[in-house]
């Protein structure tokens, strides 16, 4: 983009272009475009971080925030990190024989190296850098064109090198190895920036290095979210911690507490591998070095630890990337932690499976985020214990820790908890995150002295009212959460007293330390209990037991409907006389097996059914009516075959055929004395369950008079402990009930509608057999047609139905 004489593209424009490209490549990496997604997404996210950091530096240069003379010292530390990182990724691509990824990674790595040389010596020129980038352009153009041909021709044209071998095997990536690799690259980047002054690469740290640090921090926050999606709580917590280290800070109580948290995390990370635990200890050393030196990261000791982190990150990146793509694994010390624990009779280790993070109320794609949420409160609490006195608030950099640790990360944890169905926990994390953010910005941002008084007091009182509701709700959860919310209420009281100038000496520091210790206990309990099955660090029982609270814990299984084993589990419960909640093509319903009359009667009583809204019977297909086919009208059977499966319920005449399904005395609860409603749902889960159980008795999963149940969380909330199981599939696809069609007079060619729901009348009539619209006078003509076309199976069947109708 430039020569020593002239810049072809202004720095602002170049920076904006790089940021746009970085966003597109990051989206591609997150979406895992190829089935060889591990290495591909690692490369995409790494290159995206390179363009993001470079773009921000160019924008600072263009805006004259950073002088043009500092372009060299601003770019070199970041480029050096990506030179090494991309070379390691290219080496991994060589092992798995993916030439496209190999050429892209190595070429960009060499381009970064040549750009460093050009910045160091203007005589070197930009030709080598441009040549490498041109090679990347050609390879990417070939790859993109090949993929386009492959897509257009539906796989008939396969240009060499554009289709990965594993893509043909439809392999799915279930681990977070690619996320781990990108997180390690970000640690490599920040270590390179902070260690460069020690080796003399740059004279000192400056504003030009901030974009690299912030890029690493933001990307690691993204890696934190992806680790939660991969059900890896320890990795998500680690990258949440390391993202905070991308913001420099001064020696306050904070780094000491951070070192303790890192030590605990390092210990429990050994269950994954000893390499992970050892690697985390480097960050413990970094926090200790900051606390031990008055100038923090500006001094040689801290920068020396960052140099060690740079080397360690490079080594762990190589091992992780190699093990990610190769069948031959480099030993990382897996299994040693488990072997040690098995020798201790008092400890029982939990299995490293994703099911332990499955919430009680059903399927979720995120792991539990409470460990990181409690740790953030520890960090924020001890951060605000530092006083600023008469100094500039920014000289004591508590602001990032009150706002970023207590605010941003807790908002993230609250979002994850909400996705898992943990309403109270998510509300608490979001509320506390907002409080730390507002408090950090007003006090440490220099605004507190100007706004202290009534205005601040009103805002704090608002937070206190919300937290009071949380404290009351926590008594139904457990003792730990009650103490947690109560001590935060005491912190809010200290904020209020400070705002009105009536704060007793030492009260705020004391109560903040108490809240920090309570948060640390919750952090330790959650990480310990998620690692060991027994013993458990107690969190306490609910202070008040209330039906419908705690998500059905110990009451009934709430299992994900997308698993065949879950459907089989619910089927066994129903076969043994249980009643369960089930998703359908409309809303959630309460079901019982027809061959278990006791279960049908129980479901009727649980529902508190009104007499004018009886239960209905559902089948998986018309084949389940085969035993009673001779007792039903052929016209009705043809209508069923044409209309089902769908959201159409048919009200048909009651008859002796109903006794064949084993309802016994419970038959009186199915329909009315004259008719019953029958349906075959258009839902794969429901159909599979009915295939396993047989015809089922169905009613809506809500007490009579209440709104329909549209989420699996509501089944237990509305019906309490009276259900034995729930198939969970999130929100209902439709919030409209089925269409109920009156088929009691279908022999005369007439149908009616008791209720028009999801399926409109026009579509129902389209499913009607054509003869249902004919008049009786046309039957003689049809008989003549039947004589002529006796060979037609359909017409013979139709003729039989008409004769019986007469």
């Amino acid at each position: 983009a430039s020569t020593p004489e002239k810049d072809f593209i202004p720095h602002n424009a170049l920076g904006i272009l790089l940021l746009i490209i970085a966003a597109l490549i990051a989206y591609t990496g997150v979406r895992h475009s190829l089935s060889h997604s591990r290495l591909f997404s690692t490369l995409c996210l790494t290159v995206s971080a390179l363009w993001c950091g470079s773009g921000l530096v160019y924008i600072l240069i263009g805006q004259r925030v950073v002088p043009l003379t500092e372009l060299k010292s601003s770019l070199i530390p970041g480029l050096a990190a990506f030179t090494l990182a991309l070379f390691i990724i290219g080496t991994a691509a060589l092992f798995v024989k993916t030439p496209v990824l190999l050429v892209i990674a190595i070429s960009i790595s060499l381009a970064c190296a040549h750009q460093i040389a050009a910045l160091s010596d203007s005589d070197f020129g930009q030709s080598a850098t441009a040549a490498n980038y041109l090679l990347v352009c050609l390879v990417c153009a070939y790859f993109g064109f090949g993929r386009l041909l492959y897509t257009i021709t539906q796989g008939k044209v396969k240009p060499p090198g554009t289709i990965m071998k594993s893509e043909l095997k439809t392999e799915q990536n279930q681990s977070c190895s690619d996320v781990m690799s990108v997180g390690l690259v970000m640690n490599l980047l920040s270590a390179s920036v902070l260690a460069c002054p020690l080796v003399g690469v740059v004279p000192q740290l400056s504003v030009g290095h901030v974009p690299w640090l912030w890029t690493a921090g933001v990307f690691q926050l993204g890696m934190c979210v992806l680790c939660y999606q991969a059900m890896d709580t320890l990795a998500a917590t680690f990258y949440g911690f390391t993202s905070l280290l991308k913001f420099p800070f001064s020696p306050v109580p904070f780094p000491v507490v951070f070192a303790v948290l890192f030590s605990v995390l390092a210990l429990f990370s050994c269950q994954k591998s000893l390499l992970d635990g050892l690697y985390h200890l480097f960050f413990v050393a970094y926090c200790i070095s900051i606390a031990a030196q008055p100038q923090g990261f500006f001094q040689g000791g801290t920068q020396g630890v960052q140099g060690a982190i740079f080397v360690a990150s490079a080594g762990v990146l190589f091992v992780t990337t190699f093990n990610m793509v190769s069948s031959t694994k480099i030993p990382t010390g897996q299994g040693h932690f488990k072997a040690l624990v098995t020798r201790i009779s008092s400890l029982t280790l939990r299995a490293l499976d994703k099911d332990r993070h499955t919430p009680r109320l059903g399927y979720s794609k995120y792991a539990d985020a409470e460990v990181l949420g409690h740790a953030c409160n520890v960090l924020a609490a001890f951060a605000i214990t530092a006083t600023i006195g008469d100094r500039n608030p920014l000289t004591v950099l508590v602001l990032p820790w009150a706002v970023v640790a207590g605010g941003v990360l807790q908002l993230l944890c609250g979002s994850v908890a909400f996705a898992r169905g943990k309403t109270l926990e998510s509300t608490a994390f979001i509320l506390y995150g907002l409080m730390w953010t507002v408090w950090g910005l007003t006090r440490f941002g220099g605004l507190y002295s100007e706004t202290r008084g009534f205005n601040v007091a009103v805002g704090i009182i608002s937070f206190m009212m919300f937290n009071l509701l949380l404290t009351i709700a926590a008594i139904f959860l457990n003792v730990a959460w009650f103490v947690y919310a109560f001590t935060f209420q005491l912190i809010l009281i200290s904020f209020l007293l400070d705002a009105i100038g009536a704060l007793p000496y030492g009260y705020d520091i004391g109560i903040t330390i108490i809240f920090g210790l309570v948060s640390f206990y919750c952090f330790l309990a959650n990480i310990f209990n998620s690692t060991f099955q027994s013993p458990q660090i107690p969190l306490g029982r609910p202070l008040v037991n209330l039906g419908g609270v705690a998500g059905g814990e110990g009451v009934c299984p709430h299992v994900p409907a997308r698993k065949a084993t879950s459907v089989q589990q619910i089927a066994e419960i129903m076969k043994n006389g249980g009643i369960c909640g089930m998703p359908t093509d409309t809303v959630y319903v309460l079901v019982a097996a027809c061959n278990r009359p006791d279960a049908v009667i129980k479901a009727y009583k649980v529902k508190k059914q009104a007499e004018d809204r009886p239960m209905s019977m559902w089948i998986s297909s018309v084949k389940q009516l085969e035993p009673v086919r001779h007792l039903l009208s052929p016209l009705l059977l043809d209508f069923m075959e044409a209309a089902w499966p769908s959201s159409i319920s048919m009200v048909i005449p009651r008859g002796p055929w109903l006794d064949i399904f084993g309802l016994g005395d419970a038959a009186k609860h199915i329909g009315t004395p004259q008719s019953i409603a029958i349906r075959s749902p258009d839902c794969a889960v429901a159909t599979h369950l009915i295939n396993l159980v047989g015809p089922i008795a169905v009613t809506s999963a809500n007490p009579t008079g209440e709104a329909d149940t549209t989420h699996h969380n509501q089944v237990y909330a509305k019906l309490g402990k009276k259900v034995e199981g729930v198939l969970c599939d999130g929100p209902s696809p439709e919030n409209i009930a089925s269409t109920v069609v009156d088929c009691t007079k279908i022999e005369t060619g007439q149908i009616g509608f008791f209720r028009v729901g999801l399926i409109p009348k026009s579509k129902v009539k389209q499913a009607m057999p054509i003869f249902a619209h004919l008049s009786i006078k046309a039957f003689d003509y049809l008989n003549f047609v039947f004589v002529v076309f006796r060979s037609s199976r359909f017409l013979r069947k139709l003729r039989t139905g008409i004769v019986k109708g007469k």
Side-chain angles (χ1 to χ4, degrees), residues 705-783:
E706 294 189 11
D708 289 328
T709 303
T710 58
H711 196 281
H712 59 251
N713 291 1
Q714 300 175 2
V715 177
Y716 181 78
K718 290 186 176 184
L719 300 181
K721 303 177 182 179
K722 300 175 182 178
V723 291
E724 277 78 33
V726 179
L727 270 177
C728 307
D729 198 30
S732 300
E734 301 289 345
N735 294 334
I736 305 175
S738 62
T739 297
V740 182
V741 182
D742 182 6
C743 299
T744 56
K745 300 180 180 179
I746 195 173
E747 293 290 343
T748 64
Q750 299 178 0
I751 61 172
F753 292 87
F754 289 111
R755 179 180 68 199
V756 179
L758 185 61
I759 307 297
K761 289 183 179 181
S762 58
K763 289 190 176 181
V764 175
K765 292 181 178 180
Q766 288 176 5
M768 282 286 294
I770 187 172
F771 53 76
H773 299 286
L774 298 177
S775 65
I776 301 298
K777 295 181 180 180
F779 285 178
D780 291 337
Y781 175 74
L782 285 178
N783 280 327

Side-chain angles (χ1 to χ4, degrees), residues 626-666:
E626 197 65 34
V628 298
R629 192 177 187 93
H630 62 286
L631 300 176
L632 298 176
S633 166
L635 303 180
L636 177 62
L637 293 172
D638 288 338
F639 184 33
M640 289 178 176
E641 290 178 349
W644 288 343
S646 68
S647 300
I648 298 176
S649 297
M650 299 184 186
V651 177
I652 63 176
R654 193 185 191 93
W657 60 271
L658 192 60
D659 300 333
I660 299 178
F661 296 108
L663 282 163
D665 295 337

Side-chain angles (χ1 to χ4, degrees), residues 227-228 231-234 236-237 356-359 364-374 413 416-417 420 422 425 429 526 530:
C227 283
Y228 279 125
M231 299 295 178
D232 194 336
T233 300
L234 294 175
T237 305
R356 70 181 183 182
H357 294 292
T358 302
S364 174
K365 61 181 179 179
Y366 295 100
D368 204 335
E370 287 191 45
V371 174
L372 181 58
H374 291 307
C413 294
V416 173
R420 289 176 49 77
K422 293 190 171 184
E425 293 89 333
F429 288 141
N526 277 276
S530 63

